Amino acid sequence: MSRRLRGAFAALVLAAGLTMAAPPLAGPAAVLPYQDPALPIPTRVADLLGRMSLDEKIGQMTQAERGSVSNADVTNSRLGSVLSGGGSAPSPNNATSWANMYDGFQNAALATPLHIPLIYGVDAVHGHNNVVGATIFPHNIGLGATRDTALVQRIGRAVAEEVSGTGTDWDFAPCLCVARNDRWGRTYESFGEDPEIASSMTTIVTGLQTGGPSVLATAKHYLGDGGTTGGVDQGNTQISESELRAIHLPPFQAAVQRGVGSVMISYSSWNGLKSHANQYLITTVLKTELGFAGFVVSDWNGIDQIDGQPGFTAAEVRTAVNAGIDMVMVPQAWRTFISTLRTEVQAGRVTMARIDDANRRILTKKFELGLFERPLTDRTWTSTVGSAAHRDIAREAVRKSQVLLKNQFGVLPLPKTANKYFVAGKSADNIGYQSGGWTISWQGSSGAITPGTTILQGIRAAVSPGTTVTYNATGAGIDGSYKAAIAVVGETPYAEGAGDRPGGMGLDSTDLATLNTLKASGVPVVVVLVSGRPLDIAAQLPDWHALVAAWLPGTEGRGVADVLFGDYNPTGTLPMTWMQSASQQPINRGDGKTPLFGYGAGQQFPATQNPYNIIGAVYYDGQQGTQLERCTDGGCGQNVGWIATGDWLYYDGVDFGATPPARVLTRLASGASTTGRIEYRLDSPTGTVVATVQVANTGGWQSWVSRTVTTGAVTGVHRLYLTFTGATAADFVNVNWFQFSR
Ligand code: GLC
């Protein structure tokens, strides 16, 4: 049993009131009470606390960044914690290298007189995302779209295994922020705009902390970071206490009820007071009212912001600690912090009671994690980093996070057997773009930054061997002969304030140019939007036949193709209200504003999906004698024209299922002076006729009408032909789309 499992299991068993044999100690025999795992944790904490000097206690409250501290510093300054900031990794950046780094720091901590292990924190916010080769899961906004709390717990478990496999034992996740204004650069770190989603998704805390090698989870950022005015990161949340309690507090209540081990304070202010200075919120509400028994950590240099000036003062140190912050994240200035806090305690401006309370909380979590018994990396978990099993969970999460927002003519799912598809868009073949911020580096970046499957690779893997997939990022080279164009577009990576969008929230010029190129071809366009939030797309939407919100899926891009080609009927629903215009921000459920798509929106494939979605003559897989031309019918790019007797179109792999269709609707136009007819036939140009449509002049070549006729009994899979006959004129009809139905 791994050290963490033993520790956590022990905690669980003891919590359950059961007794269990004390696990055998791998290290030296227990010589002092606090080193005896058979004793209750409060007893061990009390014994250890009684042996600690002031400096040792202050050391436990100090968290330094790995790049600013040596192993010797850890020993000499009695540091209780080290962290990796976003992208801060050992070289080479791989799981084993991380484990070696961790063990180095840990052995340095164990070299202190009392051998108190340190706790190492990382932002594993969508997988162990600082580590090359780790599984990268969808960011929280995508997980919110799944509404699948059990899945999210399994993700927590998988992340805990990968984090443990590198030694690290504290995850600064989940963000339980409730993003109310999508302009905020951290919107994608939110599970949704309504607290109900984040509260339900605290199952990830259970996944991270129990059921295997456990890591300490962190509910962040307390409190109200997602409610700042204008969506300004680290800004001011100007709302009443009742609204703060109704919108932003519930997820933290849920996390505390699930036993979350730590809470991180928000940079933001509430009605002008920085949360890092807010004793009412931290001590009165969180610790006393909610009964939070874990420990509270500041954000990165968060105490510096209390007075609005760079750096921190003695006043800020004592204000933060007296407000109830137990551990302070001082990445570089940790020496100054230690000496400043020592002075404040010696001057009586911070009481020993406060210092002891902070230490009691921190040490309790270290004992519960089993760090005293098993302080070093349990390398049995190292091989789980990026494992196939974890990537399968991630692909499932990608599938379930896709939200189908438009599906004109039932164009989705696309048939795998079509002759050819055109893929375009800057985000189609880019692991970095599809993963977003907090991936390998803090801000994220472009390119093959870590092993994974791009959305394009997923598309190629999904279609049949005979189907050609052409890719060009700008759409150059597309023509009307493709079954459909798949445009994968959206945002490039960002994190925190760098992602704030105070101005426009539309697609960038690169994507707009690509989409225009595709539109000009007349080929139906399926848009896959890779973004960390809803974007302002109302103006472009009418040109799109389908829209799938993919969010930031991470390394397992195949999950997008699972939906596009029908291997998974989409179940995702919007966790955020989708604006009609950026000027509507903030826009949330129930605020009376009219959205483009409402909170909870999301389509499934039509029940009559297959074979009844054979729509859009330009989707044909083969034709003889016809040509494409610009079309003015609603939603139409191009129609099939120049049709004479003897011409035909065909569609491959039409599966009529076991229940025959009742009728077929054909969308046609004719400027001809003669009549003719369209015959729907099976398997060959001279095969069985299942429906016949009489064609006469409709008033012009772009005067479109719908003609419905009954169909003969047809079931199973066929190549479906449209044959054109009976007309004396060289050109007698134009066809836009048709639809079979029951
Ligand atoms: C960052 C973020 C916080 C993160 C911390 C450590 O600035 O605000 O979410 O956990 O610093 O990287």
Side-chain angles (χ1 to χ4, degrees):
M1 198 185 263
S2 81
R3 72 168 186 217
R4 295 333 184 331
L5 178 58
R6 179 188 308 283
F9 184 61
L12 279 177
V13 167
L14 295 178
L18 307 175
T19 56
M20 64 173 286
L25 273 177
V31 291
L32 297 172
Y34 78 90
Q35 293 173 321
D36 182 354
L39 291 178
I41 287 175
T43 304
R44 301 178 73 183
V45 170
D47 176 63
L48 178 52
L49 208 54
R51 300 172 189 277
M52 293 169 71
S53 68
L54 174 58
D55 277 357
E56 282 164 332
K57 292 176 180 177
I58 291 174
Q60 287 300 307
M61 298 170 66
T62 306
Q63 182 181 60
E65 212 284 333
R66 58 169 285 280
S68 303
V69 67
S70 67
N71 291 351
D73 292 330
V74 169
T75 306
N76 298 333
S77 298
R78 313 286 194 262
L79 291 177
S81 183
V82 175
L83 85 144
S84 280
S88 178
S91 180
N93 183 350
N94 59 48
T96 299
S97 179
W98 274 79
N100 295 339
M101 171 193 73
Y102 174 88
D103 286 353
F105 282 124
Q106 190 63 283
N107 280 319
L110 297 175
T112 55
L114 292 171
H115 318 296
I116 302 174
L118 64 73
I119 186 167
Y120 194 107
V122 290
D123 293 279
V125 296
H126 64 138
H128 199 354
N129 41 254
N130 289 321
V131 181
V132 171
T135 308
I136 304 298
F137 295 85
H139 268 296
N140 286 354
I141 193 169
L143 299 183
T146 70
R147 300 302 200 279
D148 188 335
T149 56
L151 167 65
V152 166
Q153 180 163 335
R154 287 191 284 129
I155 289 174
R157 181 90 309 272
V159 172
E161 290 178 1
E162 299 201 16
V163 168
S164 297
T166 64
T168 44
D169 27 46
W170 181 11
D171 185 2
F172 302 134
C175 184
L176 295 176
C177 41
V178 181
R180 303 292 287 168
N181 189 319
D182 303 346
R183 292 181 181 283
W184 188 34
R186 307 194 76 163
T187 296
Y188 67 77
E189 295 186 63
S190 172
F191 287 107
E193 70 183 28
D194 191 296
E196 68 178 1
I197 303 182
S199 298
S200 69
M201 294 285 166
T202 51
T203 49
I204 196 166
V205 171
T206 303
L208 284 165
Q209 298 190 155
T210 69
S214 64
V215 296
L216 198 70
T218 310
K220 73 181 186 182
H221 310 82
Y222 186 84
L223 184 62
D225 52 346
T228 59
T229 303
V232 174
D233 187 42
Q234 308 184 10
N236 191 15
T237 299
Q238 298 165 284
I239 55 179
S240 66
E241 179 164 355
S242 61
E243 189 172 349
L244 186 74
R245 285 176 171 272
I247 299 287
H248 300 284
L249 192 60
F252 289 86
Q253 284 170 296
V256 169
Q257 285 158 7
R258 285 183 176 274
V260 69
S262 68
V263 168
M264 184 182 290
I265 302 303
S266 176
Y267 285 118
S268 57
S269 303
W270 174 41
N271 293 336
L273 175 62
K274 280 287 180 183
S275 292
H276 277 76
N278 198 317
Q279 183 175 37
Y280 171 69
L281 288 181
I282 300 172
T283 299
T284 305
V285 176
L286 177 64
K287 291 183 173 179
T288 307
E289 183 184 323
L290 299 191
F292 174 60
F295 67 87
V296 172
V297 64
S298 78
D299 202 335
W300 179 285
N301 287 326
I303 67 171
D304 299 14
Q305 295 192 13
I306 290 173
D307 66 3
Q309 303 304 316
F312 59 78
T313 61
E316 287 174 309
V317 168
R318 68 172 172 268
T319 299
V321 173
N322 287 337
I325 292 177
D326 304 306
M327 184 184 289
V328 181
M329 191 186 295
V330 273
Q332 291 80 27
W334 51 270
R335 289 185 180 83
T336 307
F337 170 76
I338 289 171
S339 59
T340 305
L341 181 53
R342 184 192 301 119
T343 302
E344 291 306 300
V345 174
Q346 289 166 343
R349 293 188 287 266
V350 174
T351 65
M352 274 313 297
R354 177 73 273 274
I355 297 296
D356 286 346
D357 173 48
N359 273 265
R360 203 171 287 116
R361 291 169 177 270
I362 293 166
L363 295 173
T364 296
K365 291 305 162 190
K366 290 185 174 182
F367 279 117
E368 286 177 359
L369 279 169
L371 291 179
F372 284 81
E373 283 67 53
R374 296 287 183 279
L376 301 181
T377 306
D378 180 347
R379 306 231 177 189
T380 58
W381 301 103
T382 308
S383 63
T384 69
V385 177
S387 68
H390 288 174
R391 289 179 188 273
D392 285 347
I393 297 171
R395 177 176 168 180
E396 176 187 350
V398 173
R399 273 200 297 275
K400 291 181 174 178
S401 63
Q402 303 305 296
V403 182
L404 178 60
L405 291 169
K406 181 177 182 180
N407 191 13
Q408 189 172 24
F409 307 140
V411 67
L412 291 178
L414 296 168
K416 294 179 179 178
T417 54
N419 58 345
K420 55 182 185 175
Y421 289 106
F422 197 101
V423 180
K426 68 175 189 285
S427 306
D429 198 28
N430 194 315
I431 289 286
Y433 283 5
Q434 70 190 50
S435 299
W438 293 104
T439 312
I440 309 307
S441 66
W442 177 42
Q443 291 292 318
S445 61
S446 174
I449 59 176
T450 191
T453 305
T454 66
I455 293 168
L456 172 65
Q457 289 167 334
I459 291 169
R460 291 194 195 282
V463 298
S464 66
T467 299
T468 303
V469 176
T470 303
Y471 174 60
N472 181 286
T474 67
I478 188 163
D479 60 36
S481 65
Y482 290 89
K483 183 77 168 177
I486 303 168
V488 188
V489 297
E491 293 188 301
T492 53
Y494 53 82
E496 301 191 43
D500 283 2
R501 291 189 71 166
M505 298 178 73
L507 293 170
D508 65 26
S509 56
T510 301
D511 289 339
L512 292 173
T514 301
L515 288 162
N516 282 336
T517 300
L518 301 181
K519 176 183 174 183
S521 75
V523 168
V525 176
V526 172
V527 172
V528 175
L529 191 60
V530 175
S531 66
R533 59 188 133 201
L535 295 181
D536 187 347
I537 54 150
Q540 290 80 36
L541 184 62
D543 294 331
W544 305 346
H545 287 69
L547 169 62
V548 175
W551 313 111
L552 296 170
T555 50
E556 306 316 304
R558 178 71 191 270
V560 176
D562 289 341
V563 168
L564 295 180
F565 292 93
D567 288 326
Y568 184 78
N569 196 338
T571 53
T573 55
L574 288 184
M576 305 273 181
T577 300
W578 200 293
M579 72 193 113
Q580 288 218 46
S581 156
S583 62
Q584 291 183 301
Q585 291 297 340
I587 179 170
N588 296 294
R589 174 168 64 157
D591 66 8
K593 298 176 184 175
T594 305
L596 185 63
F597 303 107
Y599 175 92
Q603 295 182 29
Q604 288 226 288
F605 294 142
T608 61
Q609 165 56 23
N610 205 357
Y612 305 96
N613 76 319
I614 303 304
I615 295 295
V618 292
Y619 283 76
Y620 57 67
D621 293 299
Q623 62 88 32
Q624 173 181 289
T626 71
Q627 291 181 39
L628 296 173
E629 60 184 351
R630 283 211 54 74
C631 170
T632 59
D633 195 14
C636 176
Q638 286 187 307
N639 61 265
V640 180
W642 305 99
I643 297 173
T645 292
D647 293 348
W648 44 257
L649 309 172
Y650 69 73
Y651 296 79
D652 282 322
V654 175
D655 180 357
F656 285 93
T659 308
R663 55 191 164 280
V664 58
L665 183 157
T666 306
R667 187 74 175 164
L668 59 86
S670 173
S673 57
T674 65
T675 60
R677 62 183 184 276
I678 302 169
E679 292 172 331
Y680 290 87
R681 292 175 179 264
L682 301 182
D683 306 317
S684 88
T686 57
T688 305
V689 176
V690 293
T692 300
V693 182
Q694 298 301 330
V695 175
N697 186 298
T698 63
W701 294 110
Q702 291 295 325
S703 303
W704 294 94
V705 297
S706 298
R707 291 276 183 271
T708 299
V709 296
T710 56
T711 62
V714 52
T715 59
V717 180
H718 297 275
R719 171 177 283 185
L720 178 66
Y721 276 83
L722 276 71
T723 61
F724 304 93
T725 182
T728 54
D731 171 10
F732 75 95
V733 68
N734 285 347
V735 176
N736 176 8
W737 52 271
F738 55 89
Q739 179 160 21
F740 284 79
S741 58
R742 289 193 175 84

